[in-house]
């Protein structure tokens, strides 16, 4: 994938008001995230992260939610939601449904944030803390290991 | 139904065993370089016979001939059984056969999966690898031989957990089973089989060991391609022996024995 293709994709994201595109290119997994979707001002440049398909997506710096104070110390004070088991990660209860949570969503300890299929069982995973989801660090339907970071959260 | 634990618990494993020798003591490590390396470090002490070291994650797990054994955290069953034996009384190949038999029988007894043994140290289901065994031994100063039997069983991996280069040749119990896999009960079952059948090996009944191994293998009569001392050999397996290795009827007419320590199977 070259820079021209990425530009084309970025234009597509702006045109369709998408905040995120995940592309698999052989063994590479490319995540494009765009700030300011649904906002009128000009979009910020996308952030790109490349990882091997099997590895967790690194924390792409994420647009701070509108209500949160702006600042460069975005990673400071972040907590994570980790996988309590080995299995397959799902963002939604079925392919047609919207994701349980997306970056910017407020969660409470009882909020279901994802499903992990493990040992023939679909396990609803709860946030177990209050805060704002900052990033979803694993692609839908990706395998996860015990303790792997699934999401970053800014605690209340 | 009791929920299945997601991480191994030493107390629960001990409670599931009635060990004469294997599993009298259990250590569960969250992470270690290799359970065999860790166990061999313990072996300098005389009271470690029968200890079993488990790890949820190995940072440099090894296979035979220096290969890397990769496993996601919490997905596999990786352990080393440490034994102290009179030096020279047995061969590593005999321990490999015993461990292979114990792994297959333990899996058959605790799950609905039926694997088979593939000489020298692999456990397969069809043409996919489910488990591997690595035996290492060391002569101690007190005339005793320490034997580390390392076992790795793929338990909870999904296809996507395996690196792409081995994905079509590897499989886990969870992928094969119709029921949830409880790693602890698989562990107890393998260790209990090893504990029971150790007695037979200690009685030096080699023919019984061969019989046990062959019960669970489709290797006798199978076609095989082997690499040894820089050459490739093709032929049919005639016999498998804990001391002499593999006896093969070669396609070019001759017969040849292969030592598991220096042979690679394609």
């Amino acid at each position: 994938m070259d820079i021209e293709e990425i530009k084309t994709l970025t234009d597509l994201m702006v045109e369709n008001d998408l905040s995120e595109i995940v592309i698999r290119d052989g063994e590479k997994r490319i995540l494009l995230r765009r700030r300011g979707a649904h906002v009128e001002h000009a979009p910020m440049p996308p952030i790109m992260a490349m990882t091997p398909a099997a590895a967790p997506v690194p924390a792409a710096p994420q647009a701070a939610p509108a209500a949160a104070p702006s600042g460069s110390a975005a990673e400071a004070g972040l907590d994570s939601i980790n996988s309590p088991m080995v299995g397959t990660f799902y963002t939604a209860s079925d392919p047609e449904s919207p994701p349980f949570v997306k970056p910017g969503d407020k969660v409470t300890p009882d909020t279901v944030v994802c499903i992990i299929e493990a040992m023939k069982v679909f396990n609803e995973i709860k946030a177990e803390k209050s805060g704002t989801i900052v990033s979803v660090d694993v692609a839908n339907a990706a395998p996860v290991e015990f303790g792997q970071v699934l999401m970053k959260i800014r605690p209340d | 139904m009791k929920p299945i634990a997601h991480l191994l618990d030493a107390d629960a494993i001990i409670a599931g065993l009635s060990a004469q020798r294997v599993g009298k003591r259990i250590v569960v490590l969250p992470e270690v370089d290799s359970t065999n390396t860790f166990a061999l470090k313990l072996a300098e002490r005389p009271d470690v016979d029968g200890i079993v070291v488990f790890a949820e994650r190995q940072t440099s797990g090894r296979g035979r001939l220096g290969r890397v054994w990769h496993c996601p955290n919490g997905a596999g069953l990786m352990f080393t059984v440490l034994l102290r034996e009179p030096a020279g009384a047995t061969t590593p190949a005999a321990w490999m056969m015993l461990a292979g038999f114990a792994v297959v029988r333990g899996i058959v007894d605790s799950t609905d999966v039926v694997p088979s043994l593939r000489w020298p140290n692999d456990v397969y289901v069809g043409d996919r690898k489910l488990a591997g065994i690595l035996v290492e031994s060391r002569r101690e100063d007190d005339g005793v031989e320490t034997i580390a039997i390392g076992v790795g069983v793929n338990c909870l991996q999904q296809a996507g957990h395996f690196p792409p280069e081995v994905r079509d040749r590897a499989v886990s119990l969870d992928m094969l089973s119709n029921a949830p896999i409880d790693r602890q009960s698989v562990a107890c079952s393998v260790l209990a089989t090893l504990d029971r059948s150790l007695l037979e090996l200690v009685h030096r009944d080699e023919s019984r060991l061969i019989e046990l191994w062959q019960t669970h293998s489709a290797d006798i009569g199978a076609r095989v391609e082997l690499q040894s001392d820089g050459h490739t050999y093709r032929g049919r397996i005639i016999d498998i022996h804990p001391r002499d290795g593999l006896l093969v009827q070669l396609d070019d007419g001759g017969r040849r024995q292969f030592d598991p320590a220096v042979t690679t199977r394609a």
Side-chain angles (χ1 to χ4, degrees), chain A residues 33 60-63 65 74-75 78 102-105 132-137 151-154:
Chain A
R33 278 201 187 131
Q62 183 72 27
E75 287 291 310
L78 291 191
K102 50 190 188 309
D105 284 359
T132 307
I133 300 292
V134 173
S135 61
V136 178
D137 293 28
M151 297 174 194
K152 296 239 175 35
I153 181 170
R154 183 185 300 284

Side-chain angles (χ1 to χ4, degrees), chain B residues 125-151:
Chain B
V125 174
D127 56 1
R128 288 170 173 231
K129 182 162 164 172
L130 177 69
I133 293 144
L134 179 69
V135 175
E136 295 177 278
S137 65
R138 188 178 67 197
R139 183 77 69 96
E140 306 294 346
D141 293 338
D142 55 0
V144 165
E145 195 163 15
T146 299
I147 295 140
I149 302 172
V151 172

Side-chain angles (χ1 to χ4, degrees), chain B residues 102-121:
Chain B
V103 168
V104 169
R105 182 59 70 82
I107 289 170
V108 168
D109 288 348
S110 58
T111 72
D112 56 349
V113 176
V114 182
S116 63
L117 284 162
R118 196 170 178 273
W119 186 90
N121 65 330

Side-chain angles (χ1 to χ4, degrees), chain A:
Chain A
M1 170 148 318
D2 61 25
I3 197 76
E4 281 308 311
E5 282 179 84
I6 290 168
K7 275 186 184 149
T8 312
L9 288 166
T10 316
D11 290 345
L12 263 172
M13 288 173 82
V14 175
E15 239 169 72
N16 296 292
D17 200 25
L18 300 172
S19 59
E20 184 173 311
I21 301 186
V22 180
I23 307 133
R24 268 186 204 281
D25 179 10
E27 295 197 5
K28 288 194 187 102
R29 181 175 177 284
I30 297 168
L31 170 70
L32 295 176
R33 278 201 187 131
R34 185 178 144 253
R35 287 184 202 236
H38 312 288
V39 179
E40 280 177 22
H41 61 69
M44 301 289 285
I47 296 146
M48 195 175 83
M50 282 187 166
T51 61
V57 182
Q62 183 72 27
S70 60
S72 59
E75 287 291 310
L78 291 191
D79 205 345
S80 60
I81 299 173
N82 298 351
S83 180
M85 57 191 74
V86 178
T88 304
F89 171 88
Y90 294 103
T91 52
S93 55
D94 62 77
E96 276 75 45
S97 300
F100 290 109
V101 290
K102 50 190 188 309
D105 284 359
K106 288 271 189 188
V107 297
T108 63
D110 281 338
T111 308
V112 173
V113 293
C114 64
I115 281 179
I116 293 179
E117 182 189 1
M119 299 192 267
K120 319 294 172 199
V121 177
F122 287 91
N123 302 278
E124 291 189 340
I125 306 301
K126 291 180 175 166
E128 287 177 359
K129 51 196 90 174
S130 295
T132 307
I133 300 292
V134 173
S135 61
V136 178
D137 293 28
V138 179
N140 188 44
V144 291
E145 62 181 343
F146 185 92
Q148 183 172 340
V149 173
L150 303 174
M151 297 174 194
K152 296 239 175 35
I153 181 170
R154 183 185 300 284
D156 284 344

Side-chain angles (χ1 to χ4, degrees), chain B residues 12-66:
Chain B
I13 295 169
I14 285 182
L17 293 170
S18 53
Q20 300 287 312
R21 191 171 167 194
V22 177
K24 278 187 302 188
R25 272 195 289 166
I26 303 274
V27 178
V28 179
L29 305 168
E31 180 174 308
V32 73
D33 47 357
S34 133
T35 55
N36 267 22
T37 307
F38 183 91
L40 283 167
K41 278 184 206 150
L42 292 179
E44 283 145 18
R45 298 156 40 153
D47 59 344
V48 293
D49 181 76
I51 198 167
V52 185
V53 178
F54 287 86
E56 292 289 6
R57 183 200 284 275
Q58 288 188 114
T59 52
S60 53
R62 283 166 294 141
R64 223 165 47 88
L65 308 170

